Amino acid sequence: MDFNLKTNEKGNLSIGGANALELAEEYGTPLYVADEDRIRDNYNRINKAFTDQYKDFKIFYACKANTNLAVMRILEEEGSSIDAVSPGEIYTSLLAGYSPDRILFTGNNTTNEELEFALESGVRINLDSTSALERLAKLPGAEGREISFRVNPKVGAGHHDHCITGGDLSKFGVMEEEAVNAYRQAIDLGFKPVGIHSHIGSGILDPEPFKLAVHTLMDTAGHVYRELGVEFDFIDFGGGMGIPYTPQESLLDINKFAEEIVGLFKEKMYQYNMGNPTLCLEPGRYIVGDASYLLTRVNTIKHSYRKFAGVDAGFNTLLRPTMYGSYHHIVRANDPLAEPSQEIDIAGNICESGDLFARGRPMPDLKEGDLLAILNAGAYAFSMSSQYNSRPRAAEVLVKDGESDLIRERETFADILSKQNLPARLLK
Ligand SMILES: *Cc1c(COP(=O)(O)O)cnc(C)c1O
């Protein structure tokens, strides 16, 4: 994987036609830079791959990967629907222009208040447990509502244990063996079951576990149909399609993936004589992951027991390396194709020893003031950022045809303090 790096005539990193060095000068660092065309291309590539195989196909963009309003608007324009996992994401999606029927709410350990919010918003509700079903049934306006269940198909997969959301250790979904009972209970409580859902994990580059989950979910859907006569409007296999983060990994062959998944889906659909449900997927990372770069500046070169390049971002800005041990490719923005000449640790500015973007990474010569670009910073990057160490969150810009727009202002100290109140007795 060569990461498709683009350079301008000076040999500087170019993002969507804009010079990364100039963006850093104009907006400061650390800075997230999103490439609009790349987001659109990624969406259209996966949409076309599946639509070519099966017309009744829909993408529910998993917006927890990147909830920036501009990104949400771009995908709304492309025709996407939304997978929302919280009331905050429902709220953001509505504001971004998605009608409620284009929003599927898949909560986890959802409170009654959250269920009520979902009911009132008019979004589709995907239930994670029969507890949620029973509590939903008691809420005003629940009678006759359309619902679906998230089923745990007993298989999981992902780039890290924390990202495996199926299998017998997972907290998500209704057990596959219990699915028929759950739907029966839903019918008895007066609901209208319209869909079935699974999501087995994230960062999947090997299609095999995903195929296994499709197999199981289709059998489960078939059993629900046979036993209860429920004809599903939609069958949703969740997200999880991976992108290459390391130079050794290669792209998921999305056309082959679509062919295999749709092949399995159709085989089971005919086997159970299920009609023509809409096939849904919920990619997050696949659509936005490689569309953004995190620009951060080297401020300290230090030789202690090891060699360090210290930068002005930290795990408060991009958590993945610290949280999952994830590899993110890093280049020197003034010459992203420069050959490595050393091995160096690239360390953030947070007061924790785990705050490292890379350990012993082969890099070209680095000096103080150099701008680095951390690749694949579009998914689970800004959306997981925090104010830890009282550091204001980074700014975000969107680039199209060489022009940039600030789509999120850099936070200030006032933002860090904005919700704090001193009790009167502590006022000075
Ligand atoms: C996080 C999530 C997704 C998206 O996962 P990706 O790996 O980003 O594709 C899809 N569906 C649900 C329910 C999720 O929680």
Side-chain angles (χ1 to χ4, degrees):
M1 179 69 206
D2 58 6
F3 299 115
N4 237 327
L5 291 163
K6 303 266 191 318
T7 53
N8 63 12
E9 65 287 350
K10 294 180 213 145
N12 298 334
L13 176 65
S14 172
I15 305 171
N19 184 339
L21 270 60
E22 288 170 11
L23 293 172
E25 282 300 328
E26 182 174 353
Y27 299 101
T29 52
L31 181 71
Y32 277 104
V33 182
D35 177 346
E36 176 166 343
D37 287 346
R38 187 73 195 169
I39 297 171
R40 292 186 190 273
D41 287 353
N42 289 343
Y43 176 87
N44 286 308
R45 190 180 326 107
I46 187 166
N47 192 44
K48 180 170 188 318
F50 277 84
T51 310
D52 281 354
Q53 302 290 329
Y54 187 69
K55 272 212 314 295
D56 230 333
F57 172 70
K58 258 193 199 150
I59 290 181
F60 285 73
Y61 165 58
C63 72
K64 73 177 187 289
N66 188 329
T67 30
N68 187 289
L69 269 181
V71 172
M72 306 270 288
R73 285 289 312 131
I74 290 166
L75 292 167
E76 195 281 328
E77 283 186 4
E78 292 295 342
S80 186
S81 296
I82 289 286
D83 160 47
V85 296
S86 70
E89 289 189 354
I90 294 173
Y91 176 82
T92 308
S93 305
L94 291 169
L95 204 70
Y98 294 84
S99 52
D101 60 309
R102 284 166 76 189
I103 303 169
L104 179 68
F105 172 53
T106 299
N108 177 244
N109 300 331
T110 314
T111 66
N112 293 353
E113 291 70 26
E114 290 169 334
L115 289 169
E116 207 163 346
F117 181 87
L119 268 180
E120 281 168 10
S121 316
V123 300
R124 295 160 176 251
I125 299 179
N126 186 34
L127 296 161
D128 191 60
S129 63
T130 47
S131 156
L133 174 79
E134 287 159 17
R135 290 184 285 116
L136 181 69
K138 296 192 184 116
L139 297 175
E143 180 82 40
R145 280 291 287 258
E146 299 184 344
I147 55 101
S148 56
F149 277 106
R150 177 174 185 163
V151 173
N152 178 345
K154 258 197 214 150
V155 274
H159 65 84
H160 187 280
D161 282 352
H162 295 174
C163 297
I164 298 174
T165 55
D168 57 8
L169 289 177
S170 169
K171 67 168 180 162
F172 295 102
V174 174
M175 280 193 297
E176 176 234 319
E177 299 90 328
E178 285 299 322
V180 171
N181 286 336
Y183 281 99
R184 183 177 291 123
Q185 193 182 352
I187 294 167
D188 291 347
L189 286 168
F191 290 104
K192 181 164 187 271
V194 291
I196 189 163
H197 170 277
S198 69
H199 170 67
I200 63 162
S202 197
I204 303 167
L205 287 169
D206 170 11
E208 291 311 314
F210 201 93
K211 281 157 63 181
L212 218 57
V214 168
H215 208 279
T216 308
L217 193 70
M218 289 304 287
D219 279 337
T220 309
H223 295 155
V224 174
Y225 176 50
R226 274 191 186 159
E227 306 242 343
L228 308 172
V230 171
E231 265 194 90
F232 290 118
D233 293 342
F234 72 91
I235 299 184
D236 184 339
F237 300 117
M241 301 81 208
I243 57 168
Y245 282 92
T246 71
Q248 291 77 36
E249 288 168 332
S250 39
L251 283 168
L252 184 66
D253 181 341
I254 200 70
N255 291 314
K256 181 157 169 273
F257 182 74
E259 225 171 274
E260 291 180 346
I261 299 305
V262 174
L264 253 175
F265 170 79
K266 283 185 177 165
E267 187 189 313
K268 290 284 174 187
M269 191 170 87
Y270 299 140
Q271 179 188 329
Y272 290 100
N273 203 6
M274 271 194 272
N276 285 294
T278 302
L279 193 172
C280 304
L281 287 184
E282 302 173 339
R285 188 188 311 276
Y286 186 88
I287 293 176
V288 293
D290 68 2
S292 296
Y293 298 72
L294 172 60
L295 303 182
T296 180
R297 206 175 285 285
V298 177
N299 53 50
T300 305
I301 297 285
K302 171 158 142 180
H303 298 255
S304 59
Y305 295 104
R306 299 178 62 83
K307 197 156 43 156
F308 291 98
V311 300
D312 63 4
F315 77 65
N316 65 311
T317 322
L318 176 65
L319 183 60
R320 301 190 70 256
T322 301
M323 175 140 155
Y324 306 124
S326 307
Y327 179 101
H328 277 261
H329 202 64
I330 303 176
V331 299
R332 202 178 70 196
N334 64 2
D335 184 5
L337 304 174
E339 288 295 323
S341 60
Q342 60 174 338
E343 286 187 358
I344 189 164
D345 294 355
I346 298 175
N349 54 2
I350 294 296
C351 289
E352 297 243 5
S353 54
D355 183 32
L356 281 178
F357 291 115
R359 179 76 93 183
R361 177 71 58 87
M363 289 295 293
D365 291 344
L366 292 179
K367 58 181 191 320
E368 293 178 2
D370 277 346
L371 185 70
L372 301 183
I374 303 182
L375 275 56
N376 293 314
Y380 309 106
F382 189 96
S383 63
M384 281 190 173
S385 68
S386 76
Q387 297 173 330
Y388 185 45
N389 276 204
S390 293
R391 291 193 174 274
R393 271 180 277 243
E396 293 184 285
V397 301
L398 180 70
V399 176
K400 168 133 181 92
D401 301 331
E403 301 294 323
S404 61
D405 289 288
L406 185 63
I407 56 172
R408 186 177 329 239
E409 289 174 35
R410 186 175 304 285
E411 287 184 348
T412 63
F413 295 155
D415 293 313
I416 293 173
L417 292 168
S418 70
K419 295 292 183 195
Q420 296 195 40
N421 294 306
L422 270 180
R425 69 179 179 284
L426 298 179
L427 286 173
K428 194 174 151 178

